[in-house]
Amino acid sequence: MNKIFEALASAPRRKILAYLAEVDLTAGEIAARFDMSKPAISKHLQILENAGLVTSEKRGQFVHYALVRENLANTLNGFVQLVCPVSTPLKRESAALREQRQADAADEDKK
């Protein structure tokens, strides 16, 4: 439980969770949304993963991160993000990215 509270105590980590709310992202895609070094982002991702809030999967040369939806803390965080003025636009961006990826996949299937 302490790891979860430690993970949620950081604003950048809460923002990462908001970005992952609707879509899986690579470490690079996450890092592109922050004004900090990639090693700093990697540290934040490691803390979130150690707390059981995100999972990672290596696909080719990229590591993809996803929210652990079954985690109670993520469920509660999702409710908080609905009214949080910082998280709301990040979740909208996440949803738009998910929709774009679905459209791209549909276009690929047509080819």
Side-chain angles (χ1 to χ4, degrees):
M1 188 59 99
N2 285 340
K3 287 183 179 183
I4 291 172
F5 285 118
E6 176 188 336
L8 294 175
S10 164
R13 291 192 284 272
R14 290 191 306 273
K15 287 180 181 180
I16 290 170
L17 292 174
Y19 280 125
L20 294 173
E22 300 291 334
V23 67
D24 299 354
L25 296 171
T26 65
E29 290 171 326
I30 294 168
R33 289 163 167 76
F34 290 89
D35 187 26
M36 66 176 73
S37 69
K38 287 185 180 182
I41 292 293
S42 292
K43 182 67 176 172
H44 286 298
L45 289 166
Q46 180 183 19
I47 290 168
L48 289 168
E49 191 168 15
N50 287 339
L53 299 173
V54 300
T55 60
S56 65
E57 179 185 354
K58 182 129 170 100
R59 297 183 210 153
Q61 63 181 349
F62 300 102
V63 178
H64 293 256
Y65 288 88
L67 204 61
V68 176
R69 300 198 183 283
E70 301 80 29
N71 189 304
L72 177 60
N74 278 337
T75 302
L76 296 173
N77 188 42
F79 287 121
V80 171
Q81 288 175 357
L82 292 174
V83 296
C84 176
V86 174
S87 295
T88 301
L90 305 181
K91 285 186 75 163
R92 267 188 253 135
E93 181 181 341
S94 178
L97 184 55
R98 181 194 68 225
E99 290 171 13
Q100 181 61 49
R101 286 189 180 171
Q102 289 172 342
D104 292 347
D107 288 345
E108 283 295 315
D109 289 343
K110 290 178 185 177
K111 291 181 182 179

